[in-house]
């Protein structure tokens, strides 16, 4: 059985065509573990104003889209306030 997380507050989700990767705050789906990253794995993320964003690791989250159908997304856990899904990363993963 796969544990899944239900998105209960869709207003907190941003789908961003300019985002380099999927990111989530450390408090999002915190029952899923954060996997630490090596220096070479850690992305260099900045805000729109150019400030560096602190990275804590990665978290793989499973979503139940419809009964019995699951989707997993690997988020970079960062010092952000919104859940951001990167269209660019979704396109890259599709190939």
């Amino acid at each position: 059985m796969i544990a899944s997380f239900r998105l209960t507050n869709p207003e907190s989700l941003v789908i961003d065509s300019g985002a380099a990767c999927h990111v989530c705050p450390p408090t999002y789906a915190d029952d899923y573990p954060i996997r630490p990253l090596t220096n070479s794995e850690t992305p260099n993320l900045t805000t729109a104003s150019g400030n560096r964003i602190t990275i804590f690791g990665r978290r793989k989250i499973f979503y139940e889209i419809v009964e019995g159908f699951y989707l997993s997304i690997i988020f970079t856990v960062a010092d952000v306030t919104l859940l951001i899904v990167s269209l660019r990363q979704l396109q890259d993963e599709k190939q």
Side-chain angles (χ1 to χ4, degrees), residues 22-86:
H22 311 307
V23 295
C24 71
T27 55
Y28 180 72
D30 60 0
D31 51 328
Y32 286 83
I34 295 176
R35 181 180 68 81
L37 300 175
T38 64
N39 286 341
S40 64
E41 293 177 308
T42 303
N44 182 19
L45 300 180
T46 58
T47 64
S49 60
N51 296 323
R52 190 173 175 90
I53 298 173
T54 302
I55 307 297
F56 303 106
R58 288 217 173 99
R59 175 177 280 156
K60 185 174 186 177
I61 301 172
F62 291 89
Y63 298 92
E64 185 171 22
I65 305 302
V66 294
E67 188 174 337
F69 180 77
Y70 296 89
L71 167 74
S72 68
I73 298 179
I74 299 173
F75 288 93
T76 297
V77 181
D79 188 16
V80 296
T81 57
L82 294 174
L83 176 68
I84 299 173
V85 174
S86 166

